[in-house]
Amino acid sequence: MTAELVRGQNHPLPDTRLEIRVSAGHPVVAGTTLGDERGRVAGVEWIAHPGSPSLPGIEVSQQAAADHRLAVDLEAVPDSVHRVSVLLALPVGAGGPSRFGAAAAPFVAVTALDGTEIASYTITGLDSESAVVALELYRRQGAWKVRAVGQGYEGGLAAMLGDQGLENPAELAAAILEAVVRGMARSVASPPPRVPEAERVRHSAPATAADTAPTVPVTPPPGPAPAPGPAGGTPSGQGGPIDYAHPRRAAAPQSPPQPAPRAEPQQSPPVPVAGDAAGWSMDERLYNQVWGMFEDLARTTAAYRSACDFAESRLDQELDRVLSDPRSRIGGTGDAARTEARAKHDELTARAQEALDRDLAQLVAESEVVEPALPPAFARWDSPVWHGYRVPMETPMALRLGDLHLPERTDLHIPMLIRLPLERGLWVDSGRGRSEASALLDEAELRRLALDTAVAHTARLLAVYPAGDFTVHVLDAAGSGAASLAPLVESGVLAAPPAAGAAGVSAVLAQLTERVDLVQMAVRAGAADALPPGMDTAEQLLIVHDFPHGFDDRAVTQLRYLADEGPQVGVHLLMVADREDASAYGPLLDPLWRSLLRVTPVADDHLADPWVGHAWTYEPPRIPAGSAVLRQVLAQVAEARRQGWR
């Protein structure tokens, strides 16, 4: 039975391998500190936070999120640690509340690894505080307990860290929040809240008692979803230390079912079905299904990596125990102990690999039925769906920007779908970066590929909006992008020819800045019908090539203004630039780069998922060699515009 704690109340912990779940309803930063008997923290190396998420026995999220799962293995924390404090803080610049009193009270639960709640605490009574010590796990006479703390700090993260005895807390808090900002910049935005499992629409045959687990749940079931870190396994119901089965996937039977009188035969898991998710339309169901696959792959990989880490940690502990005993350092006893320890390690990793392979096989099977069913907005450029393309009558809910994969299965690609209208601009990085793929290309080829990628993104945006609902402007100050921009120019889908030179840059930026100002004023005044007659009310996209060539200080300021304020009123940026080219501006442009979603023209592992924070390899969209699909789609868009303007 769950103990519902109030401030100051404690409760014994029956297990040492735990999960701490945080639910806040808005992004929060979650971290932990490891303290002595008095709760004093010896130094920054005893803090787990998004910039340094791992400590012995502790793993926290690498980014701010509305929900967190912290992995805790109290047996693995150092003997000098007597108190593990769970900290929550509001991030800066996340668009959420600036104080806890302006939002719903955070909820924190300590659970066993099978998802059973041990103790929970709703942190009430907060007002102007922006940081809070939620819980503390403390050691008393060799046993661990949990205490509800709920101590808030108006001075924020700095005041909270200072209260725990850390030196230079303001600098440390600033570094942590800076790491959070960097993490948010590289994270794929999570989708809106999904429909509850009970309302999910099924399109397969009715399930029996043997296959009640759906193939792709839209929301996780009551059981646990594995979290990263040394404590990421789940107890096995068969007496083993870890159950590696991912709870969101139905496992195939390990052996044929034993016959029993009057018992129904056990059936295999349901066959994957495209659109097997909640939603009012097929597109929405496919969108939710893709995001379900994305989350499932993230969590099952986290469970695998966590199990391998646990096996390595246990091997190290058992080998250290052998070496610490002088009687077992030499001779047959020591050799036997080392052999047994390595055999346990190999068994654990083999079981983890088996569970991962099973989950990956099911995801691959699902991908094979989902990918051919995707509509143009979600489909690859080589999909047959483009052969029957027609300009849509309404805007879809999302758009495919490329593919994502993890190193555990590089051929399993998850479509990277982002919601429309765009919530932030895009930045196609034409710089060298750190990827092996970019190192193989010369600078000129990399820049050409970057602009080709931007043109492909632009063509897809034009293709999924109704005729006349999306307008594209291009800044090519040096005129070096003519070849790559030719499909847009020759098809006639641009609002005007690409602007060249400093004067062209200034004129386009002034036009779009004025549009943002006018729309903002009309919205604030509640007088949308007061906009100037003839004003283009379509969504606007500005492609900026070879930044900062042709930009003076005023133009740079206008560009930053468009990046910050434009998306709210339908003006979006698509930058094609190498950050090093603008290094002369120093930190002045840091907010610009962070406000944009960075994508690359070649494969690069720079994006993170919103659940676990894995580094995912992004692969940009590719037009098949020799294919005319891009020009054919643009020609249809241009013709639909001409028909609409007649």
Side-chain angles (χ1 to χ4, degrees), residues 19 159 369 415 544 576:
E19 193 171 72
V369 299
V544 181
V576 186

Side-chain angles (χ1 to χ4, degrees), residues 29-33 44 47-52 62-64 87 89 91-92 157-158 160-161 166 169-183:
V29 181
T32 63
T33 56
V44 297
I47 307 174
H49 58 83
S52 179
Q62 300 182 49
Q63 54 208 12
L87 318 177
V92 177
L157 188 58
M160 181 165 59
L161 296 174
L166 288 157
E171 296 178 8
L172 177 57
I176 293 174
L177 294 175
E178 175 69 17
V180 172
V181 171
R182 291 197 302 269

Side-chain angles (χ1 to χ4, degrees), residues 410-428:
T410 57
D411 62 332
L412 175 54
H413 289 194
I414 303 295
M416 180 180 170
L417 303 182
I418 61 170
R419 291 298 292 256
L420 291 178
L422 298 173
E423 296 178 354
R424 57 195 293 202
L426 304 176
W427 165 30
V428 182

